[in-house]
Amino acid sequence: MEESKELTRIGVSLPSNLLDKFDAIIRGRGYSSRSEGIRDAIRAYIVEYEWMERESGDEIGTITYLYDHSQRGLGDRLTEVQHHYIDMIKTSTHIHLDEENCFEVIVMKGDAKRIKELAENIMSLKGVKHLKLTTTHGGI
Ligand code: NI
């Protein structure tokens, strides 16, 4: 997306604790102003939304998730569901995080719709606590 040089001012009302957290993050990341941090956050939000809406086409994506390895049968189900996408999975890594949790990263290349489908399948399994789907593409 080509961005216009012309800037528009907007007024936004936010809960103060949300703004405090945001300010702490942008300070830590070295932004010169709150406006620049907000512009970047909006760009990231648009990229993610547009990607999620895209129905087809080849993409590269990563699926990261945390799960409770003591959940009965979960390890087997995770393996089984991934085997349905072996044509697209380029690599995966498993880290034993602590006594209870495992962390995995799957890197995929292929149809965007199927990447999203695998992420949704994993997210729906009982014992999966947190999942994040990411991708990179040009144009913004
Ligand atoms: Ni583990």
Side-chain angles (χ1 to χ4, degrees):
M1 184 178 78
E2 189 67 31
E3 286 184 12
S4 124
K5 296 269 184 291
E6 194 180 316
L7 300 175
T8 303
R9 285 187 74 87
I10 55 166
V12 182
S13 303
L14 296 170
S16 59
N17 59 345
L18 187 63
L19 190 58
D20 289 346
K21 277 187 174 178
F22 186 77
D23 282 345
I25 291 169
I26 61 175
R27 261 199 313 276
R29 298 187 71 182
Y31 280 97
S32 56
S33 72
R34 183 186 275 163
S35 288
E36 191 48 44
I38 291 172
R39 282 193 285 273
D40 263 8
I42 290 174
R43 286 184 195 107
Y45 182 87
I46 290 170
V47 168
E48 185 165 350
Y49 180 82
E50 287 183 345
W51 188 79
M52 292 295 281
E53 287 299 296
R54 198 172 302 168
E55 286 299 307
S56 61
D58 270 16
E59 291 282 351
I60 291 177
T62 64
I63 302 171
T64 58
Y65 53 98
L66 188 71
Y67 70 93
D68 178 353
H69 79 93
S70 67
Q71 177 70 44
R72 184 181 278 274
L74 180 56
D76 286 348
R77 280 193 287 273
L78 283 166
T79 301
E80 193 184 323
V81 72
Q82 287 181 49
H83 275 248
H84 296 147
Y85 298 85
I86 47 171
D87 55 315
M88 297 173 62
I89 295 175
K90 296 301 166 192
T91 189
S92 64
T93 299
H94 180 113
I95 297 165
H96 309 303
L97 207 58
D98 54 37
E99 284 302 311
E100 185 182 303
N101 297 298
C102 294
F103 179 81
E104 288 188 347
V105 183
I106 302 173
V107 180
M108 300 176 80
K109 183 174 183 292
D111 183 58
K113 199 173 179 177
R114 291 189 73 225
I115 295 174
K116 189 179 164 193
E117 189 182 276
L118 176 57
E120 284 169 349
N121 282 338
I122 291 171
M123 196 155 37
S124 71
L125 296 173
K126 191 165 186 247
V128 175
K129 296 174 177 179
H130 178 73
L131 180 143
K132 182 90 179 158
L133 173 62
T134 62
T135 189
T136 309
H137 70 86
I140 191 158

